[in-house]
Amino acid sequence: MNRQLTKSDMKTLSLSSLGGTLEFYDFIIFAIFTPYFTHHFFPADLDENLKLFNTYGAFAAGYLARPLGGIVMAHFGDKFGRKKMFMLSILLMAIPTFTFAIMPTYEQIGWLAIVILLLIRITQGIAIGGELPGAWVFVYEHSPANTKNLFIGVLTCGVCGGILLGNLVTLILQNIFIEDDIKEYAYRIPFLLGGIFGLISVYLRRFLKETPIFKELQANNELHSFPLKDVIKEFKKDISLSVLLTWIMTACVLVMIILMPNFLKSTYNIEPITNTIVQMGGTFMMMVGLVCTGALSDIFHPAQVCKTFAVFLFIFCFLYFYEFYIGKNLTLICVYYLIACFFTGIVNFTAIFMCNLYRPNVLFSGISFSYNLAYAFFGFITPLLLVKFHSNVELGGIFIIGGGAYMCYISILAFINAKIFLKIKKD
């Protein structure tokens, strides 16, 4: 039943989106500033490449911890309430981030600095594993029936805003401080800001209410003792589709927002600040696409909107990668890149479809299990594939052998996923 938006609806959406923004900001700045702080946390006589490898290893540990965090937090979220886990996830992100901002270096406390660094990333990984699935469920169960997809789009837009915020802070620091100062002490500033704002978000989330759907499940004694067991037993097709949907999301974010801007800088010798601005433009266009897919999916059937976006994503990814590798017109590369990034708003259907696949009493577990396992796998393999494709670029048939072929395949997969979703819902 449709109803008017209330102040409570807007408060839930705004606080959930803000928390997601800050949490993903905290997660991403570690990767952005790794080259600036690596030398502080390892022995001075250690090879520089080994220092960087070890630091990125700590960063990767965050991804490996995601499935564990997501599954455990989802289990308790389905048993004891969405709000409790929603509070816990941001707390587990804010405290480690703040700790990193003030922690001593290797020179001051020795190997304990390395241990703390690793624990920080593992804790952040656990937090991020529960945050996005928990936020999707929390907002979906709170939102009016006629705006559920828009609310999901705005929430995911806020999460992408965390990446944009990380880039913006980087840009500001690069303009205020010289590189040596950033390496010496200023690298701590983004983490200090992230920790402080994260703790503020923890406080603000106290004013959110438990979802009405969970309250109803609790009142009717419909909660499961082991939700994940029921998910694996009863929702095999849904899990399979959720994994494919997460693959779409992983590819769009990693290839188009994270990796291709780096290739643009190295291939065309773009100035770092200019390249950061292009990357920020791509992130902003994805955010616009997320809101648009949500709004359109509340008017038309989500599967039809997904199919339409998949077609245009295919077209503009093809044009972008063709121009990147063959045409080499920098203006057209940037134009096609920004348009393609708008259509990567198709990742919104990862959440929209998954929120409609599982029963309410196992919804958190179903989404978190599928999403985190798939993201851990595809998040690991996608960068390796793209680097391999990029280093062996050549024209092949109607496809560009490179990231273009991969993204064109992803577009086709997104179209197929929409058809699979319709079939599962009919069954």
Side-chain angles (χ1 to χ4, degrees):
M1 181 179 176
N2 295 346
R3 63 174 174 83
Q4 294 295 315
L5 291 177
T6 64
K7 288 184 179 180
S8 178
D9 293 331
M10 298 311 298
K11 182 176 76 171
T12 298
L13 180 60
S14 58
L15 290 182
S16 300
S17 300
L18 176 63
T21 298
L22 295 174
E23 192 157 352
F24 272 76
Y25 162 82
D26 288 350
F27 194 76
I28 202 68
I29 56 172
F30 194 102
I32 294 174
F33 285 94
T34 289
Y36 291 101
F37 63 72
T38 297
H39 62 287
H40 284 296
F41 299 99
F42 294 94
D45 57 352
L46 194 65
D47 180 75
E48 287 299 320
N49 289 328
L50 194 55
K51 288 181 186 177
L52 199 62
F53 177 81
N54 287 339
T55 308
Y56 275 114
F59 178 73
Y63 277 94
L64 294 177
R66 284 179 72 149
L68 173 64
I71 291 170
V72 172
M73 293 177 72
H75 172 79
F76 289 109
D78 277 333
K79 284 192 69 174
F80 302 117
R82 322 305 198 191
K83 180 183 173 180
K84 290 183 176 67
M85 295 302 105
F86 207 33
M87 292 281 292
L88 179 61
S89 67
I90 198 165
L91 185 65
L92 288 177
M93 182 62 75
I95 292 177
T97 303
F98 187 82
T99 301
F100 184 78
I102 61 174
M103 70 176 284
T105 63
Y106 180 87
E107 185 178 339
Q108 295 167 319
I109 60 172
W111 287 94
L112 186 58
I114 302 174
V115 174
I116 294 173
L117 185 68
L118 186 60
L119 289 175
I120 283 173
R121 284 306 295 171
I122 290 173
T123 306
Q124 285 186 328
I126 290 171
I128 212 77
E131 169 64 20
L132 192 51
W136 283 333
V137 173
F138 192 82
V139 167
Y140 184 79
E141 292 186 347
H142 263 295
S143 57
N146 55 319
T147 60
K148 284 187 179 297
N149 298 321
L150 174 60
F151 272 41
I152 290 291
V154 172
L155 171 68
T156 312
C157 171
V159 168
C160 289
I163 301 173
L164 190 64
L165 184 60
N167 288 326
L168 180 61
V169 170
T170 304
L171 204 59
I172 293 172
L173 241 66
Q174 288 171 341
N175 279 280
I176 294 177
F177 298 96
I178 62 173
E179 187 166 344
D180 286 344
D181 286 342
I182 297 176
K183 288 183 176 181
E184 184 60 29
Y185 65 90
Y187 72 88
R188 295 181 183 270
I189 295 174
F191 295 94
L192 184 63
L193 291 173
I196 292 171
F197 288 129
L199 293 173
I200 292 172
S201 293
V202 173
Y203 173 75
L204 292 176
R205 280 191 178 182
R206 291 175 59 246
F207 298 102
L208 293 173
K209 297 178 180 178
E210 183 56 80
T211 71
I213 291 178
F214 183 82
K215 286 181 178 178
E216 185 178 342
L217 292 171
Q218 200 171 36
N220 295 334
N221 198 27
E222 295 178 359
L223 301 176
H224 289 209
S225 59
F226 196 173
L228 182 57
K229 178 181 177 182
D230 297 298
V231 168
I232 295 173
K233 182 179 179 181
E234 301 178 33
F235 294 90
K236 293 182 178 62
K237 291 181 181 178
D238 310 80
I239 291 172
S240 298
L241 177 57
S242 298
V243 167
L244 295 177
L245 290 167
T246 304
W247 188 3
I248 306 297
M249 185 176 195
T250 308
C252 287
V253 173
L254 289 180
V255 174
M256 300 302 292
I257 304 301
I258 305 297
L259 297 173
M260 285 311 298
N262 291 338
F263 292 155
L264 178 68
K265 181 172 64 175
S266 60
T267 303
Y268 291 89
N269 297 314
I270 305 295
E271 289 293 323
I273 291 178
T274 302
N275 193 70
T276 299
I277 292 172
V278 172
Q279 186 176 32
M280 290 171 65
T283 306
F284 177 76
M285 291 301 289
M286 173 183 268
M287 292 166 67
V288 175
L290 287 164
V291 175
C292 288
T293 52
L296 289 170
S297 295
D298 284 324
I299 301 171
F300 307 102
H301 195 291
Q304 300 307 322
V305 180
C306 181
K307 289 179 182 178
T308 303
F309 264 67
V311 170
F312 282 104
L313 180 63
F314 181 99
I315 293 170
F316 284 100
C317 279
F318 179 87
L319 292 173
Y320 165 62
F321 281 95
Y322 180 88
E323 203 60 44
F324 190 102
Y325 290 123
I326 306 299
K328 299 187 177 181
N329 182 311
L330 193 56
T331 301
L332 285 178
I333 289 172
C334 291
V335 169
Y336 289 144
Y337 172 71
L338 293 176
I339 297 174
C341 283
F342 169 78
F343 289 105
T344 60
I346 199 170
V347 303
N348 199 28
F349 295 101
T350 300
I352 290 173
F353 288 170
M354 285 199 296
C355 283
N356 284 277
L357 288 175
Y358 304 95
R359 289 196 310 269
N361 52 5
V362 297
L363 181 59
F364 197 167
S365 294
I367 292 177
S368 190
F369 173 74
S370 308
Y371 169 79
N372 280 298
L373 285 181
Y375 207 105
F377 176 76
F378 292 115
F380 173 78
I381 198 172
T382 296
L384 299 179
L385 287 173
L386 195 69
V387 169
K388 179 66 176 177
F389 292 155
H390 180 70
S391 62
N392 294 288
V393 172
E394 62 179 287
L395 186 63
I398 62 170
F399 295 119
I400 311 279
I401 302 301
Y406 187 69
M407 287 307 299
C408 285
Y409 171 76
I410 288 296
S411 305
I412 296 169
L413 181 61
F415 190 94
I416 294 171
N417 283 347
K419 296 178 73 68
I420 296 173
F421 174 74
L422 287 173
K423 186 176 187 306
I424 289 178
K425 293 302 291 182
K426 284 179 182 178
D427 293 343

